[in-house]
């Protein structure tokens, strides 16, 4: 290598670097890159991340126990006899009360070390008044101080105080979250299947119009070809998220909106893939079939179809896989499926549940990926 | 009798592939077309059954103008013209039998053929033709499982299904080794001699052309530069056809 060409070569590299440096400085600033935040903020993300690796999968059955006692208001008539009780009982410091009197409720014979709540029932209503939390001690006892709510004091008569304990017992069972997740995951896979089917069915005829070699070279043929191809390219570039937002308004939130959004995207995307596959077929067999005196239908059926079936099937399976992936996201904007649940759980900061959904998506998407790879391999 | 009159083909990009080519082929002839690569042999053969639309000129077959035929008539003409190809052009994913049966498409109604309802006679005919070319045992194999020579024999069986009067063969042995080439050429020769088909066959090797042709025409850059009996091609003629640099190689 001559000395001159050596300098020319390195001079070029240096020039490139000199141009690249300001470009990167500018991009770094524009993108708001801040490594300090990345490191200092880490503790804030810790609870979320630790929840994410502990998805809610199994839970024990919840057992509820409630025990009640009756209190008379005001204290003018003789108080009701407390029922003779076995097992858990509530003992009241007074069996009748006047307004603003306070009452000490103690319980015994309950499940030890269990959280519970004590509240007043309102006759004929679902509501609870006061609703004080407590926890039983190691002997299964607790004491709570409460008073008569003004509403009940005004009404007078017999009122019910209730202590309710809840705990988990029995065998491990799939948690509520897991069951919802599985349900919604199935919905997602079928939603994607419907979208792939609808999209594919429309894309097949369109793809013939979008294949240069199958369209006549007349002005009409060319116009149609260009129109179809432009439609594929434009529609493909519209994000399914945007389509889902539109359809969610159009037909309401839910899987149907998702099916529509993904179908439109699938038509464009599969249409383009199909067209390209059709353009790549071997013209030889078509020529041979045509030379036997076959008509156009026969040429298509015997010369074109056997050549396009394998790539079409393979692209369709591949796109089903893509649609499953996308339908997990379009739920965020009302497209139904697992995305809707995931978004709800994220908004309610239920990270364990969100983790279940995230892992389910990972599992299903990679399974689909694997399955579609196998199917495609078989088809070559 | 096949009569080609002032046949010209200009492709869309302006390439002149054939320039006013005229010749006549009496029934029963084995006509070999020779010429360098790009001289227009394939174009000429495809113009005859209008896989390629000629730009001008006429092709008369037994007095019928093929170039003027409408779609329906063209299909009736095509089914009497068998064609075999250098790349065999079988439908790879179909069985050998189905490939052979496609030779009957021109005689089968659309709905029957779309449902694969081939008549009993056609199935029997297909098996007979496969036996004739010696690959009946491969009838249910996929076409792409066969060797090149076997695939070309499927191509021949497919052409035989048409019961053609004319056979167009576009470099039928160019992808085959010498021994296989001869076995395929012998089938074509058999069709010509025993079945009385008129054959138009393009070939790369002059030795093959001399061995099988009853008559040879030569194209050079789309023009007819020779039309005569095989033994008339001497050194001077050879150089006219293939250019001064060329030397003749033998294929035995
Ligand atoms: N579809 C096409 N569009 C434009 N030009 C073409 C087309 N097909 C062939 N040609 C040109 O026409 C000329 C004749 O081609 P043709 O295929 O008939 O030659 P050939 O003699 O069969 O050659 P080979 O021996 O290589 O098969 C060539 O110059 C070729 O480049
Ligand atoms: Mg050729």
């Amino acid at each position: 290598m001559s000395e001159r060409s050596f300098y020319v070569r390195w001079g070029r590299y240096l020039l490139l670097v000199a141009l690249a440096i300001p470009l990167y400085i500018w991009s770094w600033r524009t993108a708001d890159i801040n490594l300090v935040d990345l490191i200092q903020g880490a503790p804030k993300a810790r609870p979320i991340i630790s929840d994410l690796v502990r998805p809610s999968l199994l839970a024990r059955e919840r057992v509820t126990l409630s025990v009640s006692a009756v209190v008379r208001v005001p204290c003018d008539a003789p108080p009701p006899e407390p029922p003779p009780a076995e097992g858990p009982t509530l003992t009241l410091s007074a069996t009748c009360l006047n307004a603003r009197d306070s009452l000490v409720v103690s319980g015994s014979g309950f499940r030890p070390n269990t959280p519970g709540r004590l509240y007043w029932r309102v006759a004929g209503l679902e509501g609870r008044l006061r609703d004080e939390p407590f926890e039983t001690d190691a002997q299964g006892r607790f004491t709570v101080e409460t008073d008569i709510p003004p509403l009940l004091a005004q009404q007078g008569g017999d009122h019910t105080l209730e202590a309710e304990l809840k705990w988990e017992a029995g065998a491990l069972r799939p948690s509520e979250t897991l069951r919802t997740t599985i349900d919604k995951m199935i919905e997602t896979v079928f939603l994607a299947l419907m979208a792939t089917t609808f999209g594919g069915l429309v894309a097949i005829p369109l793809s013939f119009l979008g294949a240069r070699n199958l369209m006549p070279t007349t002005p009409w043929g060319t116009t149609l070809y260009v129109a179809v191809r432009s439609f594929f390219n434009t529609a493909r570039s519209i994000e399914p998220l945007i389509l889902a937002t539109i359809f969610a308004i159009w037909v309401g939130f839910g899987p149907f909106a998702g099916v529509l959004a993904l179908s439109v995207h699938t038509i464009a995307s599969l249409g383009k893939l199909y067209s390209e596959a059709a353009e790549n077929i071997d013209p030889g067999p078509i020529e041979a079939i045509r030379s036997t005196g076959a008509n156009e239908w026969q040429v298509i059926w015997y010369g074109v179809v056997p050549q396009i079936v394998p790539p079409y099937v393979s692209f369709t399976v591949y796109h089903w896989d893509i649609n499953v992936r996308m339908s997990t996201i379009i739920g965020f904007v009302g497209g139904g499926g697992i995305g809707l649940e995931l978004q709800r759980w994220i908004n309610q900061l239920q990270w364990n549940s969100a983790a279940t959904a995230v892992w389910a998506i990972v599992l299903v998407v990679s399974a689909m990926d694997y399955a579609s790879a196998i199917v495609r391999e078989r088809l070559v | 009798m096949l009569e080609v009159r002032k046949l010209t083909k200009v492709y869309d990009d302006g390439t002149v592939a054939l320039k006013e080519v005229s010749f006549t082929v009496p029934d029963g002839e084995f006509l070999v077309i020779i010429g360098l690569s790009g001289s227009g042999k394939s174009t000429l053969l495809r113009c005859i059954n209008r896989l390629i639309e000629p730009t001008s000129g006429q092709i008369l077959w037994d007095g019928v103008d093929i170039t003027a035929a409408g779609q329906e008539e063209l299909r009736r003409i095509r089914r009497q013209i068998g064609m075999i190809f250098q790349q065999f052009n079988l439908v790879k994913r179909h069985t050998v039998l189905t490939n052979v049966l496609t030779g009957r498409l021109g005689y089968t109604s659309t709905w029957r053929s779309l449902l694969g309802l081939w008549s009993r006679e056609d199935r029997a005919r297909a098996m007979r033709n496969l036996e004739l070319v010696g690959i009946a045992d491969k009838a249910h194999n996929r076409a792409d499982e066969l060797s090149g020579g076997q695939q070309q024999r499927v191509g021949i069986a497919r052409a035989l299904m048409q019961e053609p009067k004319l056979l167009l063969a576009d470099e039928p042995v160019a992808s085959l080794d010498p021994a296989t080439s001869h076995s395929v050429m012998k089938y074509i020769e058999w069709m010509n001699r025993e079945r009385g088909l008129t054959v138009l066959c393009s070939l790369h090797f002059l030795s093959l052309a001399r061995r099988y042709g009853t008559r040879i025409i030569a194209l050079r850059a789309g023009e007819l530069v020779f039309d005569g009996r095989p033994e008339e091609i001497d050194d001077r003629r050879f150089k006219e056809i293939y250019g001064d640099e060329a030397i003749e190689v033998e294929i035995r």
Side-chain angles (χ1 to χ4, degrees):
Chain A
M1 195 199 307
S2 80
E3 203 165 308
R4 202 176 147 261
S5 77
F6 175 85
Y7 285 121
V8 168
R9 203 148 69 100
W10 282 101
R12 241 185 248 149
Y13 287 153
L14 281 176
L15 189 71
L16 255 169
V17 171
L19 284 174
I21 287 173
L23 182 74
Y24 275 99
I25 291 176
W26 187 53
S27 316
W28 183 280
R29 291 220 186 126
T30 317
D32 252 347
I33 292 175
N34 189 337
L35 293 179
V36 176
D37 280 359
L38 182 67
I39 293 158
Q40 283 185 346
K44 282 189 255 172
R46 244 192 42 217
I48 296 177
I49 292 171
S50 71
D51 271 0
L52 280 177
V53 297
R54 287 187 288 119
S56 149
L57 299 175
L58 300 172
R60 293 181 195 281
E61 209 165 337
R62 294 187 67 82
V63 179
T64 308
L65 170 80
S66 44
V67 175
S68 55
V70 177
V71 180
R72 176 151 300 176
V73 182
C75 262
D76 44 14
E81 277 298 305
E86 291 272 311
T89 35
L90 292 180
T91 318
L92 308 180
S93 61
T95 47
C96 70
L97 283 178
N98 288 316
R100 270 183 240 106
D101 282 355
S102 76
L103 174 72
V104 178
V105 181
S106 39
S108 63
F110 285 88
R111 190 169 181 271
N113 303 318
T114 307
R117 307 189 78 88
L118 182 85
Y119 50 86
W120 293 87
R121 285 264 284 273
V122 185
L125 288 176
E126 276 294 301
R128 301 168 166 197
L129 293 173
R130 290 294 181 263
D131 208 12
E132 324 257 12
F134 62 82
E135 186 156 348
T136 58
D137 62 14
Q139 279 74 47
R141 286 193 294 250
F142 70 88
T143 310
V144 177
E145 196 176 332
T146 182
D147 63 349
I148 175 97
L151 180 71
L152 301 182
Q154 258 175 25
Q155 280 180 8
D158 288 350
H159 293 291
T160 309
L161 248 178
E162 206 161 72
E164 185 187 78
L165 274 75
K166 277 188 177 171
W167 68 92
E168 294 178 341
L172 279 174
R173 305 207 297 131
S175 67
E176 185 66 35
T177 304
L178 183 62
R179 272 177 291 162
T180 311
T181 303
I182 291 171
D183 240 34
K184 290 291 163 180
M185 209 62 230
I186 292 171
E187 183 179 304
T188 305
V189 171
F190 285 136
L191 181 162
L193 177 65
M194 289 319 288
T196 315
T197 311
F198 288 147
L201 285 178
V202 179
I204 288 170
L206 284 181
S207 72
F208 294 145
L209 304 179
R212 198 86 201 84
N213 55 334
L214 301 182
M215 289 301 280
T217 44
T218 57
W220 265 111
T222 310
T223 313
L224 207 55
Y225 162 80
V226 171
V228 168
R229 273 304 181 94
S230 325
F231 163 71
F232 288 162
N233 285 328
T234 327
R236 234 162 53 97
S237 61
I238 304 174
E239 271 297 314
L241 265 182
I242 296 166
L243 292 171
T245 314
I246 296 169
F247 282 116
I249 294 166
W250 192 334
V251 300
F253 273 41
F256 185 45
V259 168
L260 289 172
L262 286 181
S263 296
V264 171
H265 188 76
T266 304
I267 291 171
S269 182
L270 270 185
K272 190 173 155 100
L273 289 171
Y274 286 169
S275 297
E276 277 163 8
E279 281 180 352
N280 279 329
I281 61 178
D282 180 3
I286 296 170
E287 194 176 41
I289 304 277
R290 184 167 284 135
S291 77
T292 65
N295 63 34
E296 284 310 302
W297 292 109
Q298 294 170 324
V299 170
I300 289 173
W301 187 247
Y302 282 94
V304 179
V305 170
Q307 294 196 67
I308 60 172
V309 163
Y312 275 36
V313 171
S314 137
F315 281 133
T316 311
V317 174
Y318 169 65
H319 217 278
W320 183 15
D321 173 17
I322 292 179
N323 279 349
V324 169
R325 198 172 318 196
M326 284 186 182
S327 60
T328 60
I329 286 302
I330 57 168
F332 275 67
V333 294
I338 187 83
L340 203 62
E341 287 314 303
L342 178 56
Q343 186 212 30
R344 201 165 57 83
W345 285 326
I346 290 177
N347 287 346
Q348 296 172 355
L349 307 181
Q350 296 186 28
W351 297 106
N352 291 117
S353 300
T356 313
V358 169
W359 286 110
I361 292 170
V362 169
L363 208 76
V364 169
V365 167
S366 25
M368 288 289 300
D369 221 26
Y370 182 70
S372 89
I374 287 180
V375 170
R376 280 180 286 148
E377 217 166 88
R378 289 266 168 91
L379 281 169
V380 181
Chain B
M1 191 170 71
L2 183 75
E3 237 185 301
V4 175
R5 286 187 191 159
K6 295 200 164 179
L7 186 66
T8 298
K9 173 63 189 179
V10 183
Y11 281 108
D12 287 342
D13 63 357
T15 311
V16 183
L18 294 173
K19 269 182 236 162
E20 305 214 327
V21 172
S22 302
F23 59 94
T24 309
V25 192
D27 288 342
E29 188 103 80
F30 194 125
L31 180 82
V32 173
I33 303 159
I34 57 171
L36 283 173
S37 187
S39 57
K41 304 183 293 294
S42 300
T43 307
L44 172 61
L45 287 169
R46 281 170 176 70
C47 280
I48 290 171
N49 62 2
R50 275 179 54 194
L51 288 177
I52 292 174
E53 286 295 334
T55 309
S56 66
Q58 275 183 315
I59 299 164
L60 301 174
W61 190 31
D62 291 338
V64 178
D65 188 352
I66 295 179
T67 46
Q71 281 305 311
E72 208 42 55
E73 197 188 354
L74 178 61
R75 281 203 290 275
R76 272 197 301 278
I77 294 170
R78 274 180 184 161
R79 69 185 191 188
Q80 301 175 62
I81 304 178
M83 189 160 191
I84 57 181
F85 305 83
Q86 177 181 349
Q87 298 305 333
F88 324 130
N89 290 354
L90 304 183
V91 179
K92 293 187 174 62
R93 295 179 60 83
H94 277 166
T95 61
V96 166
L97 185 64
T98 306
N99 269 286
V100 173
L101 282 165
T102 56
R104 291 305 285 178
L105 283 174
Y107 297 90
T108 311
S109 74
T110 304
W111 70 270
R112 283 192 79 96
S113 54
L114 296 197
L115 294 174
L117 295 172
W118 303 99
S119 71
R120 196 183 295 269
E121 303 93 89
D122 283 348
R123 286 176 186 280
R125 202 192 313 253
M127 286 314 293
R128 267 205 313 281
N129 284 327
L130 279 172
E131 266 158 33
L132 218 103
V133 295
I135 43 173
D137 55 324
K138 303 276 186 204
H140 298 287
N141 287 48
R142 247 175 73 151
D144 57 1
E145 292 168 1
L146 271 58
S147 72
Q150 291 171 329
Q151 290 195 34
Q152 193 58 296
R153 286 189 271 161
V154 177
I156 291 173
R158 174 173 64 192
L160 281 172
M161 290 298 282
Q162 295 173 239
E163 317 237 293
K165 297 201 180 76
L166 178 66
L167 181 74
L168 307 175
D170 188 11
E171 294 183 24
V173 295
S175 323
L176 304 175
D177 63 66
T180 318
S181 292
H182 276 298
S183 88
V184 167
M185 286 309 295
K186 290 217 170 85
Y187 282 113
I188 299 175
E189 189 175 43
W190 174 86
M191 287 161 91
N192 173 247
R193 292 203 182 148
E194 307 298 320
R195 290 277 177 103
L197 267 73
T198 308
V199 174
L200 267 69
C201 176
S202 70
L203 288 172
H204 252 124
F205 287 103
L206 190 56
S207 59
L208 283 177
R210 283 203 171 105
R211 159 78 178 73
Y212 294 98
T214 56
R215 187 171 138 216
I216 293 179
I217 62 172
L219 292 174
R220 186 172 178 175
E223 283 179 283
L224 192 76
V225 293
F226 175 82
D227 182 349
R229 281 177 293 115
E231 54 275 20
E232 286 175 55
I233 301 183
D234 52 20
D235 259 10
R236 188 181 58 81
R237 286 261 162 69
F238 180 80
K239 290 215 154 54
E240 265 175 31
I241 298 164
Y242 287 106
D244 293 335
E245 313 291 281
I247 41 162
E248 193 176 345
V249 287
E250 288 270 314
I251 176 169
R252 291 191 186 279

